[in-house]
Amino acid sequence: MNDLPEARQADPRGDIRWRTSAIVLAALLAVCLAVAGLAWKRAHDRASAQERIALAHGLALHAADLRDAAPGTARNLGVAAVKIHSDGQTRAGLIDTLVWERGRELTPDASSEVALSGDGRLALTGDGDEVSVWDLTAWLDPKVILKSDRAAALKGHKEGVDAVALSFDGRTALTGDEGATFVWDLTDPAKPIRAATLASERNSGSVRALALSDDGRTAVIANDAGDVTVWNLTDRSRPARLSVTRAHASSIRSLGLSANGRTAVTVDNDDAVTVWDLADPSHPVKSADLPPPERSERSMVATAMSADGRIVLVGNGPRVEVWNLDDQSRPARTAAFEVPLGYMYDVALTPDGKTALLAGPSDFTILWDLSDLSRPTRLAALKGYAREIESVAFSADGGIALTAGPSGVSLWDLRNLAEVVADPEQAACHGHTSARLSKADWARYAGDADWSDYGGEVSGGLAVCFITSDPT
C-alpha cells in the first residue's frame, strides 16, 4: 500500500517535469491566444479603417454632386468626410466646395474674352460687337447686397470682337476685331473714350490676340496672317506703329507678354511656340522655339508668361509644361504635368508665375500652384456657372479671377485661398462649429454607417466639426 507514495518520493523530478510542462503549455496557449487576438484585432482594425475610408470617400463624392443644388449640405458632407478620414481625395473635395462658395455669377451673357486690371477692380467681358466694362468694387465687398450693373460698354466694332486687353492700372484697354483694334481711355470707367484706332495691315486678317505692357505704353497685336505688330501708346491719341513681324506661317492663337513689354511668346495654329525679344520693339528678334507638349488628336495650345518674362506656361490639352527663360536662347523645361482637360482654350498666370489657371472644354477651370517649378501641385477646381470655359483672367495677386464662356461669366474671390488649401477643415469650421447633418441626411448619404460611432452627436443632428476620426 505504501508503494506509490514511496515511488513519488523516490522520483520528485518527475513531478517537477510534469508541473513545468503544464506551465509551458499554458504559456504557449496564452501566447497563441494573444497572437490570435492580435491578428483578429489587426484584421478588425484594417476592416474598420477600410470602412471609414469608403465612407469618407462616399461622403466626398456626394458633396461634389450637391454643390449646386444644396451647398450647405455639400459643405457639411465635405467636413464629415475629412473628419472621418483625411487624405488627398477628401481634402481636395472640401477645398473645391469651399472655393465654389467664393464664386458668383457676374453676368449670364456669353463672353469669349475677359480681362482684369492688376487690382482686380475693373473687368472687361466681350462677345459679339461690344465689350462690357465692369467696376467690381461692389461685387468684392460682402457688405454690399445690391451689386452694380456694368459701368459702360465699348462699342463701335463692325465685326465680332475677337480679343481684349487691359493695362495693369485699368486706364487703357484694347479691343480687336477683323478690321481694326481700338484703343480706349478708361480713366473714368463709366465714360470710356475711344482714343485711337490701330489700323491693320492690308490683308492681314483678324486680330486673334492682344497684350499690353503694365504701363499701357506698349501694345502687341497678333493676327490671322501670323503677324505680330508692336505699337507705342505713350500718347494714346497718337499711337505709333513700331514694327510688323511675320512671326508664324499660320494664324497666331495665343500671346503672352512680360510686364515691361520686352519679352513675348506666341503660339500658332500649327502649335509652334516661339519666344521673342522685344528689347528693341522696332526690330523684334526670335529668341527660341519651344517644342509644344505632345500633340493630341484635337490639338489646341495656349500659353501665358510671368511678369518678369522668366516663366512660360504652355498647355496642350491634358499636358502642361513649365519653361524657365533665364537664358532666353536656351529655355529649360522645369516640369510637365497632366490636367483633366481634352485640350486647352486659355491659360492665365499670376505676375509672379506662382499660380496658374487652366481652361478647356469643361464647366470647370483648374488652379495650380507653381511655387516649386519642379513640382506643380493642384490647388482647386473652379466650377462656376458657365457650361464651358473659353477665357480666364487673374488679378495681379491671384486673389480675383474671372472665368467666361457661352453661358456667362463667373467672378471668383480667392483672397483667402492659401488658408483654405493649408487647412480646409479649419477654414470650414471656423465660425460654423454648429454645422450639423440631420439623421435623414446621414441615412441618405452614409448608408448603414452608425453615426454614433463617430461622436459629435447633438440635439437635432451630428455636429460635423466634432466628429472623431477614430471610433475606438
Short mmCIF file of all heavy atoms in Angstrom, two decimals, residues 21 36 61 69 88 111 122 148-149 166 195 289 291 329 355 389 401 404 406:
data_model
loop_
_atom_site.label_atom_id
_atom_site.label_comp_id
_atom_site.label_asym_id
_atom_site.label_seq_id
_atom_site.Cartn_x
_atom_site.Cartn_y
_atom_site.Cartn_z
N SER A 21 6.00 21.22 -17.55
CA SER A 21 5.33 21.02 -18.84
C SER A 21 3.98 21.71 -18.87
O SER A 21 3.59 22.32 -19.86
CB SER A 21 5.17 19.52 -19.13
OG SER A 21 6.43 18.90 -19.21
N ALA A 36 -3.40 35.22 -31.72
CA ALA A 36 -4.67 35.14 -32.45
C ALA A 36 -5.51 36.39 -32.20
O ALA A 36 -6.14 36.93 -33.11
CB ALA A 36 -5.44 33.89 -32.02
N LEU A 61 -17.86 62.33 -52.47
CA LEU A 61 -18.49 62.29 -53.79
C LEU A 61 -19.89 62.88 -53.76
O LEU A 61 -20.29 63.62 -54.67
CB LEU A 61 -18.53 60.85 -54.29
CG LEU A 61 -17.17 60.24 -54.66
CD1 LEU A 61 -17.32 58.77 -55.02
CD2 LEU A 61 -16.55 60.99 -55.83
N ALA A 69 -26.92 72.28 -56.03
CA ALA A 69 -28.30 72.17 -55.53
C ALA A 69 -28.42 72.44 -54.04
O ALA A 69 -29.41 73.04 -53.59
CB ALA A 69 -28.84 70.78 -55.85
N GLY A 88 -5.83 62.85 -49.53
CA GLY A 88 -5.83 63.76 -50.66
C GLY A 88 -7.18 63.94 -51.30
O GLY A 88 -7.57 65.05 -51.68
N SER A 111 -19.60 85.34 -73.10
CA SER A 111 -18.37 86.10 -73.23
C SER A 111 -17.25 85.16 -73.65
O SER A 111 -17.01 84.15 -72.99
CB SER A 111 -18.00 86.80 -71.92
OG SER A 111 -16.80 87.53 -72.07
N LEU A 122 -11.39 96.31 -61.96
CA LEU A 122 -12.01 96.62 -63.24
C LEU A 122 -11.90 95.41 -64.15
O LEU A 122 -10.85 94.76 -64.21
CB LEU A 122 -11.32 97.83 -63.88
CG LEU A 122 -12.09 98.51 -65.02
CD1 LEU A 122 -13.32 99.23 -64.46
CD2 LEU A 122 -11.19 99.50 -65.76
N SER A 148 -23.70 96.33 -58.44
CA SER A 148 -23.85 97.26 -59.54
C SER A 148 -23.85 96.55 -60.88
O SER A 148 -23.27 95.47 -61.04
CB SER A 148 -22.71 98.29 -59.51
OG SER A 148 -21.46 97.62 -59.59
N ASP A 149 -24.52 97.16 -61.87
CA ASP A 149 -24.52 96.64 -63.22
C ASP A 149 -23.24 97.08 -63.90
O ASP A 149 -22.40 97.77 -63.31
CB ASP A 149 -25.75 97.16 -63.97
CG ASP A 149 -26.09 96.30 -65.18
OD1 ASP A 149 -25.28 95.41 -65.51
OD2 ASP A 149 -27.15 96.53 -65.79
N LEU A 166 -6.25 94.68 -71.13
CA LEU A 166 -6.42 95.77 -70.17
C LEU A 166 -5.09 96.01 -69.48
O LEU A 166 -4.41 95.06 -69.07
CB LEU A 166 -7.49 95.38 -69.14
CG LEU A 166 -7.95 96.45 -68.15
CD1 LEU A 166 -8.58 97.64 -68.87
CD2 LEU A 166 -8.96 95.84 -67.17
N ALA A 195 -9.77 106.45 -77.87
CA ALA A 195 -8.68 107.38 -78.09
C ALA A 195 -8.09 107.26 -79.48
O ALA A 195 -7.60 108.25 -80.04
CB ALA A 195 -7.60 107.17 -77.04
N ASP A 289 12.61 78.66 -80.05
CA ASP A 289 11.38 77.90 -80.30
C ASP A 289 11.24 76.88 -79.20
O ASP A 289 12.20 76.17 -78.87
CB ASP A 289 11.44 77.19 -81.65
CG ASP A 289 11.35 78.15 -82.82
OD1 ASP A 289 10.49 79.05 -82.78
OD2 ASP A 289 12.15 78.01 -83.78
N PRO A 291 9.50 73.43 -78.01
CA PRO A 291 8.73 72.29 -78.50
C PRO A 291 7.41 72.22 -77.75
O PRO A 291 7.40 72.23 -76.51
CB PRO A 291 9.63 71.09 -78.19
CG PRO A 291 10.54 71.56 -77.10
CD PRO A 291 10.74 73.02 -77.33
N SER A 329 17.90 82.21 -74.92
CA SER A 329 18.38 81.42 -76.06
C SER A 329 18.40 79.93 -75.76
O SER A 329 18.50 79.10 -76.68
CB SER A 329 19.78 81.88 -76.47
OG SER A 329 20.71 81.65 -75.42
N THR A 355 1.04 80.94 -59.67
CA THR A 355 -0.29 80.34 -59.73
C THR A 355 -0.80 80.39 -61.15
O THR A 355 -0.70 81.42 -61.82
CB THR A 355 -1.28 81.08 -58.81
OG1 THR A 355 -0.74 81.20 -57.50
CG2 THR A 355 -2.59 80.32 -58.73
N ILE A 389 -15.74 76.75 -70.46
CA ILE A 389 -14.87 77.89 -70.17
C ILE A 389 -13.97 78.16 -71.37
O ILE A 389 -13.21 77.29 -71.80
CB ILE A 389 -13.99 77.63 -68.93
CG1 ILE A 389 -14.85 77.16 -67.74
CG2 ILE A 389 -13.23 78.90 -68.57
CD1 ILE A 389 -15.89 78.14 -67.30
N ALA A 401 -10.39 86.22 -59.81
CA ALA A 401 -10.33 85.53 -61.09
C ALA A 401 -11.66 85.65 -61.81
O ALA A 401 -12.72 85.77 -61.18
CB ALA A 401 -9.95 84.06 -60.91
N ALA A 404 -15.02 82.64 -68.15
CA ALA A 404 -16.09 83.04 -69.06
C ALA A 404 -16.30 82.01 -70.15
O ALA A 404 -15.38 81.28 -70.55
CB ALA A 404 -15.76 84.39 -69.67
N PRO A 406 -19.76 80.58 -73.17
CA PRO A 406 -21.02 80.88 -73.86
C PRO A 406 -22.20 81.11 -72.94
O PRO A 406 -23.17 81.77 -73.32
CB PRO A 406 -21.24 79.63 -74.73
CG PRO A 406 -19.89 79.02 -74.88
CD PRO A 406 -19.18 79.31 -73.61
#
